[in-house]
DNA sequence: AATTGGCCCAACCGCCGAAGA
DNA sequence: GTCTTCGGCGGTTGGGCCAAT
């Protein structure tokens, strides 16, 4: 049995107060992002290190872009999702200022529904033939491939791409993106510039794994 | 005005891989 | 080679807000 990431006692949970936010911001401004486990104690926060990390990365970071997604951002998310599946952190990495949580939420609340309305299966981005909303599908069938959110409104489908290829190495994923015939300019623009040179080199070196991934993606798209 | 149902999003949970001892 | 710890990730949930009834 794995130990909990932190002492559960004396740990605040739930929404962050302004004071807590300020403490975390102040600490990171001075000391930078370091060891998340030690930050709560050092910053005087009764929070789990993971919670601090999440709060900082998803909410407090100064470079976060908030507000509605632009059309081109949405388009890019759809393209990247078709390629990568539910790997939100990778998708978010190509949307400057957006977090994985934000992208994930936006996908589940907006894009998924939009695609369904358009008659496109959000799992594989193909026009669906038998895809149906949960209320019209059999509960038995649904239970194996999808889970519902709490009020049974929208099915949370597990992407076949993500389910099959979860935890593919970062290099393989970058290589797949760079070498993808269906995603070129949109993606290279968003790719962190500092990584492009190194990644292209790696893409060549890892051509074997890239081929494998591309082939798998072809099967799914 | 009160209730209900749906939507949205922040935050938690549990798992996994990487790194270090 | 094995074990432990940590950071990171995706899935899921709790709860606030708002529109419809």
């Amino acid at each position: 049995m794995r130990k909990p990431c932190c002492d559960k006692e004396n740990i605040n949970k739930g929404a962050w107060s302004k004071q807590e936010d300020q403490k975390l911001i102040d600490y990171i401004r001075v000391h930078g992002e370091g060891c998340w486990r030690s930050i709560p104690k050092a910053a005087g926060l009764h929070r789990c290190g993971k919670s601090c990390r999440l709060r900082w990365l998803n909410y407090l970071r100064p470079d976060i872009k908030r507000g509605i997604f632009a059309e081109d951002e949405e388009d890019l998310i759809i393209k990247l999702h078709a390629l990568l599946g539910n790997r939100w952190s990778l998708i978010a990495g190509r949307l400057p200022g957006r977090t994985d949580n934000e992208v994930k939420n936006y996908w589940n609340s907006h894009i998924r529904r939009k695609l369904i309305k358009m008659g496109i299966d959000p799992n594989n981005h193909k026009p669906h033939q038998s895809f149906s909303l949960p209320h019209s599908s059999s509960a038995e069938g649904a239970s194996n491939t999808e889970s519902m959110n709490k009020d049974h409104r929208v099915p949370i489908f597990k992407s076949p791409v993500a389910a099959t290829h979860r935890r593919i190495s970062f290099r393989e994923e970058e290589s797949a993106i760079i070498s993808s015939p269906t995603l070129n300019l949109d993606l290279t623009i968003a790719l962190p510039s500092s990584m492009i040179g190194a990644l292209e080199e790696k893409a060549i070196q890892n051509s074997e794994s890239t081929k494998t991934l591309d082939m798998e993606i072809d099967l799914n798209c």
Side-chain angles (χ1 to χ4, degrees):
Chain A
M1 187 70 179
R2 196 183 162 83
K3 280 185 184 174
C5 71
C6 52
D7 184 6
K8 298 271 179 191
E9 286 176 25
N10 238 347
I11 290 293
N12 285 352
K13 281 191 176 183
W16 281 62
S17 68
K18 287 196 172 180
Q19 290 87 345
E20 286 178 309
D21 281 347
Q22 200 52 54
K23 277 184 183 178
L24 185 57
I25 291 167
D26 290 345
Y27 181 86
I28 291 178
R29 266 190 196 146
V30 175
H31 300 94
E33 294 175 42
C35 173
W36 290 110
R37 197 178 173 84
S38 64
I39 282 180
K41 198 177 175 185
L45 289 161
H46 298 290
R47 291 277 179 176
C48 166
K50 280 177 107 169
S51 180
C52 292
R53 175 184 162 270
L54 209 65
R55 183 64 177 171
W56 174 255
L57 294 178
N58 286 338
Y59 201 81
L60 299 175
R61 244 172 42 198
D63 58 330
I64 285 178
K65 191 203 295 185
R66 309 198 71 81
I68 58 169
F69 281 71
E71 211 169 302
D72 58 333
E73 285 181 303
E74 187 176 312
D75 195 42
L76 186 54
I77 292 170
I78 294 169
K79 284 178 184 172
L80 286 166
H81 186 270
L83 180 68
L84 298 168
N86 293 359
R87 286 194 287 274
W88 307 115
S89 61
L90 271 171
I91 295 172
R94 280 154 193 84
L95 292 158
R98 300 295 188 183
T99 69
D100 56 350
N101 211 27
E102 207 177 0
V103 171
K104 179 171 61 182
N105 283 334
Y106 190 69
W107 173 270
N108 285 326
S109 60
H110 291 88
I111 302 178
R112 154 187 296 286
R113 211 167 301 149
K114 192 172 164 182
L115 290 178
I116 291 170
K117 263 189 187 173
M118 289 163 67
I120 295 167
D121 185 339
N123 299 314
N124 54 22
H125 297 258
K126 286 179 186 172
H128 61 75
Q129 292 163 348
S130 58
F131 182 80
S132 56
L133 289 169
H135 300 295
S136 60
S137 63
S138 78
E140 191 185 0
S143 64
N144 291 331
T145 55
E146 69 197 42
S147 60
M148 304 291 185
N149 72 0
K150 70 169 189 283
D151 34 21
H152 300 254
R153 289 185 303 262
V154 183
I156 309 291
F157 292 88
K158 312 241 186 270
S159 160
V161 179
T164 313
H165 306 298
R166 205 172 165 229
R167 310 281 180 200
I168 293 172
S169 76
F170 181 72
R171 277 182 204 151
E172 285 174 319
E173 288 168 352
E174 293 296 348
S175 301
I177 290 165
I178 288 167
S179 62
S180 170
T182 55
L183 284 172
N184 41 41
L185 287 176
D186 285 346
L187 286 170
T188 51
I189 287 167
L191 196 65
S193 57
S194 60
M195 296 175 68
I196 291 174
L199 289 171
E200 283 174 346
E201 199 176 315
K202 296 289 181 187
I204 295 164
Q205 287 171 5
N206 293 316
S207 59
E208 197 56 47
S209 57
T210 302
K211 277 179 208 161
T212 308
L213 188 63
D214 281 345
M215 195 173 73
E216 287 162 345
I217 287 162
D218 283 346
L219 290 171
N220 285 292
C221 294

